[in-house]
């Protein structure tokens, strides 16, 4: 793995450049035609506070519609991929995704309950966020109550069980929902979408994602050690129990905030950490930043494709699954063939 | 197992021959259904069917697919509002228990809506399983008159059916003939906003936007055919519809406060965003049944303010008396029309 150590700065640089180019591309394309020079003029004016000689409509489209959407896609992708990376390291299992502890199911139940009660959109988002936190809190509480045995295994099993309980709750709400109005709204929410993202959504979501991401980044060297068996990590002076809770809390916060903004979007948290591992090796300290960058780029690419296919939009969850499945299989083959 | 199957088969045979099969009715899916001589108890499998049966023969309706909420119940006679909730049988959100329906002893099941192969086979299955004749009627807006006439014959409510279909055909033909003269450039671009964000809409041919198409306006999302779809904010800004119709109160409240919509949509600037009334049944889209007739009167003035000046209060009184069996009080009508988003400004 010496090779990948020297690869790390190169990978960061390449990914960073790619991300910047992709962001520029994403903000320049869309159904409302805004010529590239005008896009640049609007952005420049927004940064410097100068007046842009651009029609009001174009300014609104670039600054209020596209920019928040691009930022949301970047943040959600980075959040889901980082949470996935954290969990895969924590559970020492590459098949783990951010919803292993039931966070998506909890968010989904919160959101569909909000739709059933015909709440305004901001409250629906709040319900989604709260639902994710409640689900994982429940898993941790049950895990603590069960005690004994393999702690990690207990958590995973509890996560599966709580996840399916909340999933049943979602199914129940669907039955209760008004089939003409609420049911389609629920279905669309469950498929995930960035279509309605507004600047005010970001004001809430970005800090929450940052609160999750910063501790993961600061603790990255210690989190590395969680990949070791518990007693070895303890021998190296790591408080395994506390660190584990910290990772879970950070990942839950990020995922809940991401799902509250964009709905349930699968595969990013599972596939991206694999790709990152392939690029720079399994060490968490290097995998985390690469996962975040790669996740943001992937999500942005997917969302840009979703809104560019036609006048109506594709749900990004469908596209991530379409791309994620073959890529995952390919990564799997690549990983196993490398090993002797 | 074999004996069991044989018994089931014989029971099915018995029930189909046992009923007095005096009439054969060919439904809109092309299914031949034997109808009993006299239909007294009808189970309506979905909300559009409920509205139609309730309008034609309320005393034959044995229940609703969903219980009325208090604000809805206030608009129809109490004895009908108090009918039990039986759930819906077909289509989205299938909630009915066949045993509950059997216990309610209907002698006919009616569904109004889509008549495609899926619904036809569902009807066949339920009919075989229960032995109760099950008919399907095409629920499109422009067949409302035929729906009323056909169902009137089936239910033995020909007199009422004549009255209601005469009303409906006068209303529909009147609108159609006056709109036919409107030149293309006077027909407004309309966007139908669904969901709390208003970013779900109906494509061309979807039952949800029939009213826009019937009134000759241009559905901005109509260049693609299909059902419901999600669209981006940018696309809505690009369409810049002249009129926005919604049935989501949250969207209606938010649209005025949203900086993006306010800055970029002329419909918002010119205050041409409308929230459809929903009591006791919706005026636009849901359920997609005969309840939309009064919605057409309302929407005609919104879309063509120079052409149509209906006396909405009188129209409501007439329609509700004919179809819902009770003329609303003037106070009720005032409250309904004063709800935000209803009145054209």
């Amino acid at each position: 793995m010496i090779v990948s150590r020297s690869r790390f700065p190169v990978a960061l640089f390449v990914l960073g450049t790619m991300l910047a180019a992709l962001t520029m591309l994403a903000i320049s394309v869309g159904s409302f035609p805004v010529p590239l020079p005008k896009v640049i003029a609007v952005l420049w004016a927004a940064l410097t506070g100068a007046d842009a000689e651009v029609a009001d409509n174009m300014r609104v489209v670039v600054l209020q519609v596209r920019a928040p959407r691009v930022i949301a896609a970047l943040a959600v992708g980075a959040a889901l991929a980082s949470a996935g990376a954290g969990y895969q390291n924590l559970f020492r299992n590459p098949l783990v995704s951010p919803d292993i502890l039931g966070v998506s199911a909890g968010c989904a139940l919160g959101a569909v309950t909000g739709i059933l009660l015909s709440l305004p959109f901001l409250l629906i988002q709040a319900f989604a966020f709260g639902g994710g936190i409640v689900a994982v809190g429940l898993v941790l509480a049950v895990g603590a109550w069960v005690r004994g045995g393999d702690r990690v295994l207990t958590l995973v099993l509890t996560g599966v069980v709580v996840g399916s309980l909340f999933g049943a709750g979602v199914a129940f709400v669907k039955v209760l929902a008004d089939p003409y109005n609420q049911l389609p709204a629920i279905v669309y929410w469950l498929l995930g979408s960035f279509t309605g993202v507004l600047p005010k959504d970001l004001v809430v979501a970005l800090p929450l994602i940052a609160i999750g991401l910063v501790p993961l980044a600061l603790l990255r060297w210690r989190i590395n050690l969680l990949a070791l068996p518990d007693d070895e990590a303890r021998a190296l002076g790591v408080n395994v129990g506390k660190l584990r809770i910290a990772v879970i809390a950070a990942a839950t916060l990020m995922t809940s905030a991401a799902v509250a903004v964009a709905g349930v979007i699968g595969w990013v948290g599972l596939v991206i950490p694999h790709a990152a591992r392939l690029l720079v090796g399994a060490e968490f300290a290097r995998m985390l930043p690469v996962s975040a960058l790669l996740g943001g780029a992937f999500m942005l690419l997917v969302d840009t494709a979703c809104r560019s296919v036609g006048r109506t939009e594709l749900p990004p969850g469908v596209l991530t699954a379409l791309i994620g499945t073959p890529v995952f299989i390919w990564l799997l083959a690549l990983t196993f063939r490398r090993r002797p | 197992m074999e004996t069991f199957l044989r018994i089931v088969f014989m029971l099915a045979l018995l029930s189909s021959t046992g009923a007095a099969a005096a009439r054969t009715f060919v439904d809109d899916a092309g299914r031949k259904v034997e109808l009993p001589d006299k239909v007294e108890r009808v189970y309506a499998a979905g909300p559009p069917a409920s509205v139609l049966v309730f309008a034609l023969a309320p005393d034959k309706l044995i229940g609703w697919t969903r219980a009325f909420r208090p604000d809805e119940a206030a608009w129809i006679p109490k004895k009908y509002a108090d009918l039990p909730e039986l759930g819906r049988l077909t289509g989205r959100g299938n909630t009915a228990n066949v045993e509950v329906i059997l216990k309610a002893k209907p002698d006919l099941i009616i569904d109004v809506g889509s008549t495609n192969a899926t619904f036809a086979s569902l009807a066949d299955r339920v009919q075989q399983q229960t032995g109760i004749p099950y008919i399907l009627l095409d629920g499109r807006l422009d067949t409302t008159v035929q729906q009323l006439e056909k169902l009137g014959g089936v239910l033995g409510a020909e007199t009422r059916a004549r009255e209601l279909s005469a009303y409906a055909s006068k209303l529909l033909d009147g609108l159609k003939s006056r709109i036919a003269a409107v030149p293309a450039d006077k027909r407004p671009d309309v966007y139908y906003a669904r969901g709390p964000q208003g970013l779900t809409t109906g494509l061309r041919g979807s039952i949800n936007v029939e009213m826009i198409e019937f009134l000759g306006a241009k559905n901005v999302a109509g260049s693609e055919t299909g059902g419901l779809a999600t669209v981006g904010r940018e696309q809505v800004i690009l369409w810049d519809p002249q009129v926005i119709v919604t049935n989501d109160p949250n969207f209606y409240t938010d649209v005025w406060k949203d900086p993006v919509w306010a800055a970029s949509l002329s419909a918002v600037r010119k205050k041409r965003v409308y929230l459809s009334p929903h009591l006791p049944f919706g005026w636009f889209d849901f359920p997609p049944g005969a309840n939309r007739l009064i919605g057409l009167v309302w929407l005609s003035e919104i879309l063509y303010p120079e052409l149509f000046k209906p006396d909405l209060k009188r129209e409501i009184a007439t329609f509700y008396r004919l179809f819902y069996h009770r003329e609303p009080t003037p106070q009720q009508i005032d409250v309904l029309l004063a709800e935000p988003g209803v009145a054209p400004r």
Side-chain angles (χ1 to χ4, degrees):
Chain A
M1 285 289 158
I2 304 290
V3 184
S4 52
R5 193 172 293 267
S6 63
R7 254 199 218 170
F8 179 55
V10 180
L12 275 191
F13 176 76
V14 172
L15 279 175
T17 318
M18 210 175 78
L19 202 61
L22 206 56
T23 306
M24 209 47 226
L25 173 82
I27 210 158
S28 333
V29 300
S31 35
F32 195 99
V34 185
L36 189 60
K38 302 245 163 153
V39 173
I40 293 168
V42 168
L43 290 177
W44 182 249
L47 287 175
T48 58
D51 272 342
E53 310 263 313
V54 178
D56 256 3
N57 256 354
M58 291 190 182
R59 217 190 52 221
V60 168
V61 163
V62 172
L63 290 183
Q64 305 269 348
V65 179
R66 264 185 221 166
R69 196 169 173 162
V70 166
I71 295 169
L74 287 172
V76 165
L80 291 175
S82 311
Y87 273 157
Q88 291 185 4
N89 191 69
L90 178 70
F91 293 114
R92 301 169 201 130
N93 185 337
L95 283 174
V96 164
S97 64
D99 42 15
I100 183 79
L101 296 184
V103 64
S104 297
C107 289
L109 183 58
V112 299
T113 309
I115 295 171
L116 183 72
L117 299 175
S118 299
L119 297 179
F121 195 69
L122 266 179
L123 273 181
I124 293 174
Q125 287 183 323
F127 266 51
F129 181 74
I133 305 284
V134 167
V136 176
L138 202 60
V139 170
L140 290 181
V142 172
W145 177 72
V146 170
R147 292 224 184 108
D150 185 339
R151 298 298 295 271
V152 170
L153 188 66
T154 311
L155 275 183
V156 171
L157 287 178
T158 319
V160 171
V161 173
V162 169
S164 40
L165 178 70
F166 279 67
V170 170
F172 183 60
V173 171
K174 278 180 165 176
V175 169
L176 294 181
D178 161 26
Y180 289 103
N181 211 28
Q182 291 170 334
L183 197 57
I186 288 175
V187 170
Y188 284 118
W189 194 90
L190 289 178
L191 281 171
S193 175
F194 290 95
T195 177
V197 176
L198 283 175
K200 67 177 178 207
D201 300 328
L202 297 178
V203 172
V204 185
L206 288 186
L208 288 173
I209 290 175
I211 293 174
L213 197 52
V214 169
L216 275 192
L218 292 178
L219 294 171
R220 62 189 186 279
W221 298 106
R222 276 200 222 174
I223 293 172
N224 262 346
L225 301 176
L226 279 183
L228 299 170
D230 283 5
D231 43 352
E232 284 181 39
R234 269 192 206 102
L236 288 167
V238 174
N239 185 334
V240 175
K242 275 192 183 160
L243 196 55
R244 191 177 286 151
I245 296 291
V247 173
I248 291 175
T252 304
L253 201 62
M254 284 193 291
T255 314
S256 301
V259 177
V261 168
V264 180
I265 298 176
W267 287 97
V268 179
L270 176 64
V271 176
I272 296 298
H274 273 272
R277 205 173 290 120
L278 212 63
L279 281 174
V280 295
E283 201 175 303
F284 185 71
R286 281 181 275 135
M287 202 181 106
L288 178 72
V290 172
S291 291
L293 290 177
L294 211 53
F298 178 65
M299 198 71 259
L300 184 58
L301 195 64
V302 164
D303 182 51
T304 308
C306 285
R307 64 187 168 90
S308 307
V309 284
R311 290 192 182 84
T312 58
E313 305 211 350
L314 275 180
V318 173
L319 206 55
T320 54
L322 275 178
I323 301 172
T325 315
V327 168
F328 185 74
I329 292 169
W330 177 66
L331 289 175
L332 211 60
L334 219 59
T335 314
F336 283 133
R337 278 184 200 155
R338 266 192 187 181
R339 291 186 187 154
Chain B
M1 191 62 203
E2 207 175 302
T3 23
F4 174 72
L5 278 177
R6 200 168 289 156
I7 290 169
V8 170
F9 179 65
M10 280 170 63
L11 278 178
L13 212 67
L14 272 176
S15 51
S16 58
T17 49
R23 306 183 275 167
T24 303
F25 178 80
V26 181
D27 74 3
D28 289 346
R31 300 164 58 250
K32 285 201 182 74
V33 182
E34 303 289 328
L35 297 183
D37 248 348
K38 261 180 117 63
V39 175
E40 294 301 337
R41 297 177 62 79
V42 176
Y43 167 68
S50 298
V51 173
L52 212 58
V53 175
F54 172 56
L56 284 165
D59 293 309
K60 295 186 177 180
L61 191 68
I62 56 171
W64 300 96
T65 53
R66 171 176 74 73
F68 279 104
R69 300 190 174 105
D71 57 341
E72 297 164 342
W75 292 82
I76 67 173
K78 189 170 182 323
K79 65 170 172 170
Y80 303 128
D82 286 346
L83 287 171
E85 170 177 308
L86 298 174
R88 42 190 288 137
L89 199 55
T90 61
R92 296 176 288 180
N94 174 358
T95 52
N97 179 338
V98 174
E99 284 188 32
V100 171
I101 292 164
L102 281 174
K103 193 168 156 243
K105 293 202 182 69
D107 39 34
L108 181 64
I109 301 175
I110 295 173
D111 196 16
V112 176
S114 177
T115 55
N116 64 27
T118 309
F119 286 89
S121 65
L122 270 168
D124 285 339
R125 287 172 64 121
V126 173
Q127 187 171 314
Q128 272 163 18
Q129 194 183 12
T130 60
I132 301 166
Y134 188 137
I135 62 171
L136 267 179
L137 290 180
D138 182 351
R140 277 178 301 128
L141 185 62
D142 54 6
T143 64
T144 306
V145 174
Q146 290 88 312
Q147 292 167 35
L148 287 164
E149 283 166 354
K150 278 185 196 164
L151 204 55
V154 168
L155 297 175
E158 287 86 355
T159 322
R160 270 203 68 73
R162 262 195 297 279
E163 193 182 0
L164 298 188
S165 64
Y167 170 87
S169 78
K170 186 165 162 248
L171 189 155
L172 294 172
D173 293 345
L175 289 169
K176 225 179 211 165
S177 64
R178 286 174 72 180
I179 288 166
V182 178
D185 62 324
K186 294 271 184 201
R187 294 169 181 237
D189 288 350
V190 184
Y191 174 69
Y192 172 34
R194 280 178 71 114
Q197 291 180 292
L199 290 171
T200 306
T201 194
L203 305 177
R204 183 178 51 203
S206 82
I207 200 159
N208 316 91
V209 291
E210 275 188 316
M211 284 174 60
I212 298 174
E213 287 166 6
F214 182 88
L215 289 175
K218 193 182 149 217
N219 173 19
V220 290
S223 59
E224 287 172 42
T225 307
L228 293 174
T230 307
V231 294
R233 280 170 181 272
E234 248 182 77
Q235 186 60 55
V236 180
I237 294 173
L238 186 66
W239 282 326
D240 196 15
Q242 288 158 282
V243 177
I244 297 177
V245 184
T246 186
N247 46 27
D248 195 300
N250 285 318
F251 170 74
Y252 182 79
T253 314
D254 288 347
V255 76
W256 310 107
K257 296 186 245 161
D258 184 323
V260 175
W261 292 144
S264 54
L265 292 182
S266 43
V268 177
R269 279 199 304 274
K270 292 182 181 151
K271 308 224 179 296
R272 293 188 77 186
V273 182
Y274 300 94
L275 175 65
S276 94
H278 63 99
L279 295 172
F281 301 104
W283 282 21
F284 190 88
D285 185 4
F286 70 93
N291 46 303
R292 290 176 295 175
L293 289 173
I294 184 68
L296 281 176
V297 178
W298 166 73
L299 194 61
S300 69
E301 187 186 359
I302 285 169
L303 299 181
Y304 307 100
E306 288 113 44
L307 189 60
F308 294 101
K309 283 268 178 281
D311 180 351
L312 210 49
K313 287 184 185 179
R314 216 190 64 209
E315 295 287 345
I316 293 172
T318 312
F319 179 81
Y320 279 50
R321 175 171 52 76
L322 278 174
F323 282 76
Y324 304 153
H325 313 287
R326 173 193 282 174
E327 194 169 310
T329 64
Q331 289 87 339
Q332 273 183 309
I333 296 179
D334 286 342
V335 169
L336 186 131
L337 291 179
E339 274 184 30
V342 174
R345 317 190 192 196

